[in-house]
Amino acid sequence: MMTITEKVAYLKGLADGMKLSAETNEGKLLLAVIDTLEDMALTVSDMEDSVAELSAQVDEIDDDLGSVEEDLYGDECDCDDEDDDEDFDDTLYEVECPSCGDIICLDEGMLDEGEIDCPNCGEKLEFDFEEGDGCDCGHHHGDEE
């Protein structure tokens, strides 16, 4: 498939081969249209290059952010990462801190401990579990107090 700049170069070649003259009204028009198309093709090509460069930079930033999240939160941060769901044997639960609104991801073991300090504000979050809290999975789940 030809690029836009290649297509415009082809049209310029056709115009040269047809010996279009800038002396006629039609020739002036067609040559001006081809010049305009050439300018547009160069602009589009520059924009494609810029988009590719920005995309690469965004990918790098995303990778860096993933590393920072792992350093800050460890594995518990991955509860929203749909691509890695198959890597976890344990179910993860999201809990919102009532003090600061931070979302904390907890696994079954953390919930079983009954309490945790919010990593953002330090607020003590307590969990109370009773049999049959509405889940049929066989585990004991509860809501944040």
Side-chain angles (χ1 to χ4, degrees), residues 44-116:
V44 168
S45 179
D46 288 345
M47 290 173 78
E48 288 172 338
D49 292 343
S50 295
V51 167
E53 184 179 326
L54 286 173
S55 179
Q57 289 175 344
V58 167
D59 288 343
E60 286 180 38
I61 291 169
D62 186 46
D63 290 343
D64 291 345
L65 180 59
S67 297
V68 168
E69 286 176 340
E70 185 158 330
D71 289 345
L72 287 176
Y73 302 111
D75 287 341
E76 68 187 52
C77 177
D78 292 328
C79 59
D80 290 332
D81 193 350
E82 295 175 18
D83 295 336
D84 293 336
D85 283 347
E86 61 269 359
D87 295 340
F88 294 102
D89 293 328
D90 295 329
T91 302
L92 297 174
Y93 304 94
E94 288 185 356
V95 175
E96 183 176 349
C97 176
S99 295
C100 68
D102 194 30
I103 301 295
I104 306 159
C105 294
L106 308 171
D107 62 21
E108 198 72 38
M110 296 166 82
L111 289 174
D112 288 341
E113 290 178 20
E115 65 183 36
I116 186 172

